[in-house]
Amino acid sequence: MVLRLDGDGAGRDNRAMDRLDLRGLKCPLPALKTKKALAGLAAGSVVEIACTDPMAAIDIPHLVAESGDALEASDRAGDVLTFRIRKR
């Protein structure tokens, strides 16, 4: 599920940010859906990915490195992994 949210402009750019909720999906779906989401973004856009598959901790950073995009942040809160990726 992709939700479009407008930035609030508080210390960030005013571009919209995509959020992709991939919780509950198992490998390889989080990486595949992230790759598809990145392909549809304009340069400079940001997508935030939330997932629960432990393999995503390896797969998503690897995908970002291969695509040449920028992994701006990653976090783990309980079983939820969150990645913030900027399209280049």
Side-chain angles (χ1 to χ4, degrees):
M1 167 192 259
V2 176
L3 302 172
R4 278 304 278 173
L5 301 176
D6 289 330
D8 63 6
R12 295 179 289 223
D13 63 26
N14 286 328
R15 293 183 191 147
M17 181 171 60
D18 287 325
R19 293 183 184 214
L20 194 57
D21 184 358
L22 303 177
R23 291 176 288 183
L25 297 180
K26 297 293 181 189
C27 186
L29 291 176
L32 293 174
K33 290 188 178 280
T34 298
K35 183 176 182 178
K36 184 176 180 179
L38 287 169
L41 292 178
S45 296
V46 175
V47 63
E48 187 173 280
I49 312 292
C51 52
T52 51
D53 180 21
M55 289 303 296
I58 297 167
D59 294 343
I60 302 292
H62 182 72
L63 169 72
V64 171
E66 283 188 346
S67 69
D69 298 315
L71 180 61
E72 293 189 338
S74 63
D75 190 32
R76 178 185 301 259
D79 64 344
V80 178
L81 298 163
T82 305
F83 303 93
R84 182 179 165 97
I85 305 166
R86 182 169 303 274
K87 176 74 175 183
R88 288 197 177 162

